[in-house]
Amino acid sequence: MSQCSNILVGIVMGSDSDLPVMRKAADILSSFDVPYEIHVMSAHRTPQRAHHYAATAHTRGLKVLIAGAGVAAHLAGVLAASTPLPVLGVPINSGALKGLDALLATVQMPSGIPVGTVAIDGSKNAALLAVQILSTADVSLQDRLLAYKASMESQVAEKNARVQASMGFGQ
């Protein structure tokens, strides 16, 4: 959990078993110095707690919620129904259907209750989307995001140069 009192992103997961996936979101937010909090709550086992958390998130200064859940994966939808904030859903690979059930439950929200959905186990991208949302009002954060993207471009160029050299091309 971030040590800053000005928390901007709430990460919520349906079970502590989701932590290995959701930790990647926390790592990305930390790398951009975005203050976050992280909680376990269930759409089914603690519905009042989930509703209260989402309903009060904007009054506590949060700007984006990231929700990760597997199997039925109703958590993101429950949060989205209770908050004016953007909710980014992370379907988690668990259960017999390897995350497909969670993906469908997260992406197939009824009209009027949007949940931005990333790939199965895609919490890193959910955090990057949160950073992009926050960067629309924070030039410094936007500059760090642009540097991050430039770094990825440089990494791909370096990999291409190595492959070309190993194949005897592009000398």
Side-chain angles (χ1 to χ4, degrees), residues 2 6 12 38 42 75 81 87 94 100 103-104 112 115 124 127 133 144 167:
S2 175
N6 187 23
V12 182
I38 190 163
S42 169
L75 184 58
V87 175
S94 61
L100 182 58
L103 174 63
L104 293 174
V115 171
K124 180 178 176 180
I133 291 167
R144 291 190 304 255
M167 299 299 293

Side-chain angles (χ1 to χ4, degrees), residues 29-119:
L29 294 172
S30 291
S31 74
F32 281 96
D33 296 322
V34 172
Y36 68 91
E37 60 187 25
I38 190 163
H39 299 279
V40 174
M41 60 188 73
S42 169
H44 303 106
R45 292 181 291 275
T46 61
Q48 292 86 4
R49 183 169 176 240
H51 167 75
H52 178 73
Y53 177 82
T56 62
H58 70 286
T59 65
R60 292 180 288 113
L62 275 73
K63 303 297 183 195
V64 181
L65 301 179
I66 299 172
V71 193
H74 292 119
L75 184 58
V78 165
L79 298 179
S82 302
T83 187
L85 299 178
V87 175
L88 306 174
V90 180
I92 295 184
N93 177 355
S94 61
L97 298 180
K98 309 273 190 228
L100 182 58
D101 48 352
L103 174 63
L104 293 174
T106 306
V107 78
Q108 291 291 79
M109 290 300 300
S111 180
I113 309 295
V115 171
T117 307
V118 297

Side-chain angles (χ1 to χ4, degrees), residues 141-160:
L141 186 56
Q142 193 170 76
D143 288 343
R144 291 190 304 255
L145 185 60
L146 290 169
Y148 175 83
K149 290 184 176 227
S151 171
M152 286 192 304
E153 185 177 354
S154 295
Q155 291 171 14
V156 171
E158 290 170 13
K159 291 174 184 180
N160 181 56

